[in-house]
């Protein structure tokens, strides 16, 4: 009994540490990116995204090939182009749109809009794939949509371009979620292997546009900035932290339950909003804060409903694409093998 109690306590401590380091890396990379765009005046989101992809490619290679912390999931060369490349393209668009939105709108607003992803995922699967969803799933989306609407109409630093970038980023995330289920079936990816295969493709896709569209601007910035080398170190550091975030996700999903992961994910948004406000002091109206809170409560309720439906007894109808476990909650980064399929 005493050994069991000690093991339970250690499991709780390990879960707490996993969540805290996940929060830390996530909030840090968001704040660093916003600082790069706002304080360093480095207004080149394509190049920042490209730096992140390069750092993630190198980091994943070191973890898998050099340190051998994670085993490599072997993918056929043909599947790399037919399956991984399309996923990488959407993955690239998702990251770029997130960085573009950070350039134009506050972190608090951007993070709240990202919480709209469950709604866009359900609607896309219903419209395009004609998938049935339990009425409780639809009901759980109401506070998410209502909270986003309230936050948007009361945002004091509203920017149409930044808002659209964040909203289309949600659509890109949802598309990636849906594609992961159809394109990556048969492969059980974790976050590190996902980055290992997708980041090099994303670098290849984004490298040329970043050079053509932002190359001259970066040269002008380099000449005009008072301390460009220290700024470049911070930009490179943000790429390293971005890779560490992926590694921390791999750790947290192996240390928590699906429900804990869902709740921690929504609390993470609240932490990011609070920390960003403390640093950048962007104005937040009371109704804006209420809208953000309603959205987060809605996301938590959606996760709870999804989990309850996934626990139905065998033989009862199960909502398609309802997460069965914590791995499926992370489909935008990790795809769990589809049951019953080769």
């Amino acid at each position: 009994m005493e050994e069991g109690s000690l093991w339970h306590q250690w499991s709780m401590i390990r879960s707490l540490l996993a969540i805290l380091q996940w929060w830390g890396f996530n909030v840090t990379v968001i704040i660093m990116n916003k600082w790069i765009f706002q304080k360093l005046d480095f207004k080149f989101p394509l190049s920042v995204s490209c730096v992140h992809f390069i750092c993630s490619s190198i980091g994943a290679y070191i973890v898998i090939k050099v340190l051998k912390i994670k085993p490599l999931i072997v993918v056929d060369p043909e599947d790399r182009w037919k399956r991984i490349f399309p996923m990488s393209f959407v993955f690239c668009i998702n990251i770029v749109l997130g960085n573009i939105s950070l350039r134009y709108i506050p972190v608090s607003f951007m993070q709240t809009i990202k919480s709209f992803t469950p709604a866009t995922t359900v609607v896309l699967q219903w419209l395009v794939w004609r998938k049935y969803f339990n009425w409780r799933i639809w009901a759980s989306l109401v506070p998410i949509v209502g909270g986003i609407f309230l936050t948007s109409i009361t945002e004091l630093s509203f920017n149409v371009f930044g808002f659209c970038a964040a909203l289309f980023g949600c659509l890109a995330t949802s598309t990636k979620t849906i594609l992961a289920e159809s394109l990556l079936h048969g492969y059980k990816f974790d976050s590190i292997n996902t980055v290992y295969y997708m980041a090099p493709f994303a670098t290849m896709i984004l490298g040329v546009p970043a050079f053509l569209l932002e190359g001259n601007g970066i040269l002008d910035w380099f000449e005009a900035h008072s301390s460009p080398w220290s700024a470049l170190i911070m930009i490179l550091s943000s790429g390293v932290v971005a890779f560490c975030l992926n590694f921390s996700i791999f750790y947290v999903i192996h240390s928590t339950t699906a429900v804990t992961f869902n709740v921690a994910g929504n609390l993470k948004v609240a932490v990011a909003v609070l920390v960003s406000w403390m640093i950048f002091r962007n104005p937040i109206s009371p109704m804006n804060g209420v809208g953000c809170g309603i959205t987060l409560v809605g996301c938590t309720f959606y996760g709870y409903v999804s989990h309850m439906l996934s626990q139905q007894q065998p033989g009862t109808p199960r909502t398609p694409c309802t997460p069965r476990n914590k791995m499926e909650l992370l489909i935008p980064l990790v795809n769990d093998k589809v049951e019953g399929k080769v």
Side-chain angles (χ1 to χ4, degrees):
M1 289 293 291
E2 192 170 325
E3 288 184 3
S5 177
L6 289 174
W7 174 252
H8 178 68
Q9 291 178 2
W10 166 243
S11 296
M12 291 182 62
I13 293 173
R14 186 179 64 175
S15 297
L16 180 61
L17 291 175
I19 291 170
L20 290 177
Q21 55 91 31
W22 178 40
W23 284 2
F25 284 124
N26 187 277
V27 173
T28 300
V29 75
I30 292 171
I31 298 301
M32 289 181 75
N33 286 351
K34 185 64 177 178
W35 188 276
I36 288 167
F37 296 134
Q38 184 170 318
K39 300 296 185 180
L40 300 183
D41 201 35
F42 190 85
K43 301 185 183 300
F44 307 104
L46 298 183
S47 298
V48 171
S49 301
C50 205
V51 169
H52 287 190
F53 293 144
I54 293 171
C55 291
S56 294
S57 300
I58 295 172
Y61 181 86
I62 292 174
V63 168
I64 293 176
K65 291 288 191 177
V66 180
L67 301 179
K68 300 186 184 300
I69 296 176
K70 281 292 296 178
L72 175 66
I73 297 174
V74 180
V75 178
D76 295 334
E78 185 178 357
D79 282 345
R80 294 185 188 185
W81 288 100
K82 287 186 176 180
R83 299 188 182 192
I84 304 296
F85 184 78
M87 287 288 300
S88 302
F89 185 78
V90 180
F91 171 68
C92 180
I93 293 175
N94 181 32
I95 299 300
V96 169
L97 288 174
N99 284 330
I100 290 175
S101 66
L102 269 179
R103 176 183 169 183
Y104 291 100
I105 59 178
V107 173
S108 56
F109 190 32
M110 176 261 200
Q111 286 288 293
T112 305
I113 296 173
K114 282 188 67 176
S115 301
F116 194 56
T117 302
T120 56
T121 303
V122 170
V123 171
L124 276 178
Q125 293 197 26
W126 177 67
L127 286 175
V128 180
W129 276 266
R130 298 297 179 185
K131 289 196 174 182
Y132 165 79
F133 288 92
N134 187 283
W135 68 269
R136 285 169 287 185
I137 290 289
W138 291 105
S140 69
L141 298 179
V142 173
I144 299 177
V145 176
I148 294 291
F149 178 76
L150 181 60
T151 303
S152 300
I153 64 175
T154 59
E155 174 57 47
L156 299 176
S157 304
F158 186 86
N159 178 281
V160 175
F161 189 69
F163 171 77
C164 290
L167 193 60
F168 280 108
C170 291
L171 290 173
T173 302
S174 299
T175 303
K176 184 169 176 286
T177 301
I178 297 167
L179 286 177
E181 186 174 344
S182 59
L183 292 179
L184 300 185
H185 69 269
Y187 293 104
K188 193 172 182 179
F189 280 116
D190 53 65
S191 58
I192 305 301
N193 274 277
T194 301
V195 171
Y196 178 85
Y197 283 109
M198 290 189 185
F201 275 134
T203 304
M204 180 179 67
I205 293 168
L206 192 60
V208 174
F211 176 77
L212 294 177
L213 297 175
E214 298 179 346
N216 292 332
I218 291 175
L219 292 177
D220 294 338
W221 172 87
F222 197 89
E223 293 177 358
H225 201 277
S226 57
S227 53
W229 292 109
S230 59
L232 288 176
I233 290 174
M234 184 170 186
I235 295 169
L236 182 62
S237 299
S238 73
V240 175
V241 176
F243 167 73
C244 292
L245 171 61
N246 284 287
F247 195 80
S248 71
I249 291 171
F250 156 71
Y251 179 43
V252 77
I253 63 176
H254 285 83
S255 304
T256 61
T257 64
V259 175
T260 302
F261 181 81
N262 174 60
V263 174
N266 293 310
L267 289 176
K268 171 180 62 64
V269 175
V271 171
V273 169
L274 178 61
V275 173
S276 69
W277 178 82
M278 292 173 64
I279 294 175
F280 298 104
R281 295 293 178 177
N282 56 286
I284 300 177
S285 67
M287 290 305 295
N288 190 260
V290 170
C292 180
I294 292 174
T295 302
L296 296 182
V297 170
C299 289
T300 304
F301 181 53
Y302 168 83
Y304 173 77
V305 170
S306 299
H307 179 72
M308 289 298 101
L309 291 174
S310 70
Q311 301 303 309
Q312 288 179 347
Q313 295 296 322
T316 59
R318 192 173 76 84
T319 302
C321 293
T322 296
R324 292 184 294 271
N325 52 46
K326 58 194 172 190
M327 294 293 286
E328 286 192 16
L329 286 169
L330 203 61
I331 277 180
L333 287 175
V334 186
N335 182 65
D336 194 16
K337 183 174 180 179
V338 179
E339 293 178 351
K341 293 185 179 182
V342 179

